[in-house]
Amino acid sequence: MSVIDNLNEIRKSINSSSSNANIIVVSKNFSLNSIQPLIDVGHIHFGENRVQEAIEKWSSILLTKVNLQLHLVGKLQTNKVKDALKIFSFIHSLDREKLAIDLKKEEDRSGKTIKYFIQINFDKQLHKSGIDITEADDFIDYCRNQLNLNIIGLMCLPPLEFNPDLYFKQLANLAKKKSLNQLSMGMSADYQVAVRAGATYVRVGSAIFGERV
Ligand SMILES: *Cc1c(COP(=O)(O)O)cnc(C)c1O
């Protein structure tokens, strides 16, 4: 199966759940050679988890493929904010006040604004990333109302050893309560579950490229 066949299969599977969720092809650790066929057929959404890797891989492509949208799905260090804003159209890992403030400052300085998902942490014992669920309500309000960041939705990474459905549904409920329309959830192993729970963006890597080395 080619990467294009794999992407088409995932598209079919999503559509069979009567969903139109966007597929973010997570290309971290894969070279442009592996990714190129998907760019050539016009795929738009690609995800990376490290700013430096994204810049090295994508900078020159973005000059010619102006429709491409890059998504940062991994943790963002504040010293990488400036570079991140240069290359990404979406950040899925907004998870703390200091980062939000720095992103706002850089948006104001550069004049560029992008879209954000706030990453929710449902279990501090199991995860380092994400704003704790108990603080999520206030943090969402803060980012939107005080900082005026363009928060479009919520993101989560469910703990691997648990049924992801419960986490996806909780995320969907919180988004609804906060009137946020976009849900970034579901990876290769669980995107169908996520789609049934209302995902609007799934983040899929290994189901397209095979296992990462
Ligand atoms: C790597 C990664 C993915 C894709 O994972 P696969 O299991 O390869 O589909 C999705 N989301 C995040 C945050 C990731 O780091």
Side-chain angles (χ1 to χ4, degrees), residues 26 28 49 73-74 155 157 186-189 203-207 212:
V26 179
K28 64 186 186 199
N49 70 335
V73 299
M155 179 271 217
L157 277 170
M187 307 174 26
S188 292
R203 310 178 308 268
V204 182
S206 49
R212 281 177 294 275

Side-chain angles (χ1 to χ4, degrees), residues 21-24 26 71-74 90-93 116-120 122 152-158 167-168 171-172 175 180-187 190-191 194-195 197-204:
N22 297 287
I23 301 169
I24 301 170
V26 179
H71 298 249
L72 179 65
V73 299
F90 296 76
I91 288 175
H92 292 240
S93 48
Y116 298 96
F117 290 87
I118 289 178
Q119 183 176 353
I120 306 295
F122 288 110
I152 62 166
L154 303 180
M155 179 271 217
C156 77
L157 277 170
Y167 295 91
F168 294 154
L171 195 72
L180 289 165
N181 293 327
Q182 307 300 327
L183 285 168
S184 167
M185 55 191 199
M187 307 174 26
D190 54 16
Y191 70 87
V195 160
T200 60
Y201 287 84
V202 296
R203 310 178 308 268
V204 182

Side-chain angles (χ1 to χ4, degrees), residues 106-199:
E106 183 57 22
E107 282 199 350
D108 287 346
R109 197 199 60 81
S110 66
K112 186 180 177 194
T113 57
I114 64 167
K115 295 172 180 155
Y116 298 96
F117 290 87
I118 289 178
Q119 183 176 353
I120 306 295
N121 186 339
F122 288 110
D123 193 335
K124 262 194 288 210
Q125 314 285 335
L126 296 165
H127 269 297
K128 286 187 297 244
S129 302
I131 184 88
D132 192 81
I133 182 65
T134 60
E135 297 161 28
D137 218 309
D138 288 345
F139 184 62
I140 294 166
D141 290 345
Y142 173 74
C143 289
R144 291 167 112 179
N145 305 332
Q146 305 295 311
L147 298 181
N148 257 314
L149 291 171
N150 186 10
I151 309 298
I152 62 166
L154 303 180
M155 179 271 217
C156 77
L157 277 170
L160 285 178
E161 53 273 48
F162 293 97
N163 177 358
D165 193 40
L166 301 173
Y167 295 91
F168 294 154
K169 284 179 174 151
Q170 272 192 76
L171 195 72
N173 284 337
L174 180 59
K176 195 170 174 198
K177 180 179 158 208
K178 304 302 289 178
S179 303
L180 289 165
N181 293 327
Q182 307 300 327
L183 285 168
S184 167
M185 55 191 199
M187 307 174 26
S188 292
D190 54 16
Y191 70 87
Q192 287 110 332
V193 181
V195 160
R196 286 195 289 274

Side-chain angles (χ1 to χ4, degrees), residues 14-34:
I14 291 173
N15 290 356
S16 73
S17 298
S18 305
S19 164
N20 227 342
N22 297 287
I23 301 169
I24 301 170
V25 171
V26 179
S27 50
K28 64 186 186 199
N29 298 21
F30 285 95
S31 70
L32 216 40
N33 272 342
S34 314

